[in-house]
Amino acid sequence: MFIDSHCHLDFPDLAKDLDALLQNMQHNQVTHALCVSVNLPDFPRVRALAEAHANLFASVGVHPDYEDQIEPQADELADLAAHPKVIAIGETGLDYFRLQGDLEWQRERFRQHIRAALKINKPLIIHTRSAAADTLRIMQEEGADRVGGVMHCFTESWEVAQQAIAMNFYISFSGIVTFKNAVALKEVAKNIPLDRMLIETDSPYLAPVPFRGKQNQPAYVRHVAEEIARIRAVSIDEIANATTGNFFNLFKSSRYGLSN
């Protein structure tokens, strides 16, 4: 079976077809999905999905691209994350690609998320784009290794992956790894220790081949697993079993009632 470790089923384009998406998950042996928060005003929608469906889970956080937000504080995030179906803090991190200028507010927001994760003892979902050095530095300064987490939709170098793994983080691959031009990322996927790997869709974005350019959905995560199996010359079952077990290990299955 497969688990989509990062999707946005609350986004309107997916929410309107939720029943069909859940059926497609079942047909493709995708047993669980983690619905990830990107801002606090919409967090109740994310939480409601997790409350309504036994195989869906939620996170709470504010994405680094959401500039015009009331800045979340660690105590507030920790309180929201106390809900039993909220299994992670994030997504959080740094993005220097989309936004320019003084981005100290991004760095402070990131620190608040890490502090919340430490308060509630739940793992982090980290987004980093064109900001790897600062992302790793802040993770180290704030002690993110004490809770660990996942570097989601990973597109960085093997060196960055190694440093994240050393800080108790998993590396998650999205549909990007199936793209023909993602040569360097395929090499990272080949070398990542299997016990530190997750798979995701980041739906509705980044649909894998053969659906590239179309709306993504959690059912398509099996195509990510299939490409990684091809790259590593192993069976699809080996990737499915490893990434599923890793999801349960990271998100502390016994504590949150998850089971495989």
Side-chain angles (χ1 to χ4, degrees):
M1 62 186 183
F2 307 94
I3 295 178
D4 185 355
S5 68
H6 192 114
C7 62
H8 300 285
L9 290 178
D10 66 302
F11 284 14
D13 286 349
L14 296 181
K16 65 184 176 62
D17 296 321
L18 183 63
D19 289 344
L21 296 181
L22 294 175
Q23 288 180 359
N24 287 345
M25 284 174 60
Q26 185 176 8
H27 293 156
N28 285 275
Q29 298 176 286
V30 181
T31 59
H32 300 81
L34 174 50
C35 302
V36 174
S37 169
V38 295
N39 64 59
L40 294 188
D42 293 336
F43 168 68
R45 295 192 323 212
V46 180
R47 182 178 57 203
L49 282 171
E51 290 172 335
H53 301 278
N55 65 333
L56 299 182
F57 299 90
S59 73
V60 60
V62 183
H63 193 288
D65 284 351
Y66 283 64
E67 184 172 5
D68 298 323
Q69 295 279 316
I70 296 173
E71 288 301 328
Q73 299 302 303
D75 287 344
E76 178 185 16
L77 291 166
D79 287 346
L80 293 171
H83 189 287
K85 292 298 291 286
V86 176
I87 62 174
I89 298 288
E91 65 186 279
T92 183
L94 303 176
D95 193 317
Y96 296 170
F97 180 81
R98 293 188 182 94
L99 298 175
Q100 305 295 321
D102 183 1
L103 297 180
E104 182 58 31
W105 62 269
Q106 268 195 9
R107 293 185 283 274
E108 177 57 26
R109 179 185 292 178
F110 187 23
R111 292 182 188 277
Q112 291 295 324
H113 282 74
I114 297 173
R115 292 167 191 171
L118 292 169
K119 282 178 178 288
I120 198 71
N121 193 29
K122 292 187 179 183
L124 288 149
I125 299 170
I126 292 185
H127 168 110
T128 184
R129 191 172 185 191
S130 302
D134 278 358
T135 300
L136 292 168
R137 175 179 59 81
I138 291 172
M139 288 165 63
Q140 187 170 41
E141 289 174 355
E142 295 290 336
D145 60 299
R146 286 184 277 157
V147 288
V150 54
M151 308 297 286
H152 114 88
C153 194
F154 192 81
T155 56
E156 302 293 335
S157 68
W158 171 232
E159 289 73 22
V160 171
Q162 288 176 300
Q163 290 179 68
I165 290 169
M167 281 191 277
N168 197 27
F169 277 73
Y170 290 74
I171 306 298
S172 182
F173 295 95
S174 69
I176 294 173
V177 79
T178 71
F179 298 173
K180 188 175 295 186
N181 62 349
V183 177
L185 186 61
K186 291 178 191 290
E187 193 64 21
V188 175
K190 182 178 181 180
N191 289 301
I192 289 289
L194 204 51
D195 64 356
R196 282 284 148 178
M197 180 188 294
L198 292 174
I199 52 176
E200 65 172 89
T201 60
D202 202 11
S203 306
Y205 312 116
L206 302 174
V209 174
F211 303 101
R212 187 174 183 181
K214 299 180 180 179
Q215 181 173 278
N216 204 358
Q217 59 176 283
Y220 296 167
V221 78
R222 71 173 300 126
H223 295 280
V224 177
E226 287 170 354
E227 175 63 10
I228 293 171
R230 186 196 67 78
I231 291 168
R232 297 175 72 105
V234 300
S235 71
I236 185 65
D237 286 347
E238 186 171 348
I239 301 301
N241 292 337
T243 54
T244 295
N246 292 343
F247 182 91
F248 292 129
N249 288 336
L250 173 59
F251 296 111
K252 300 178 177 60
S253 59
S254 61
R255 182 203 273 174
Y256 305 122
L258 300 170
S259 63
N260 55 359

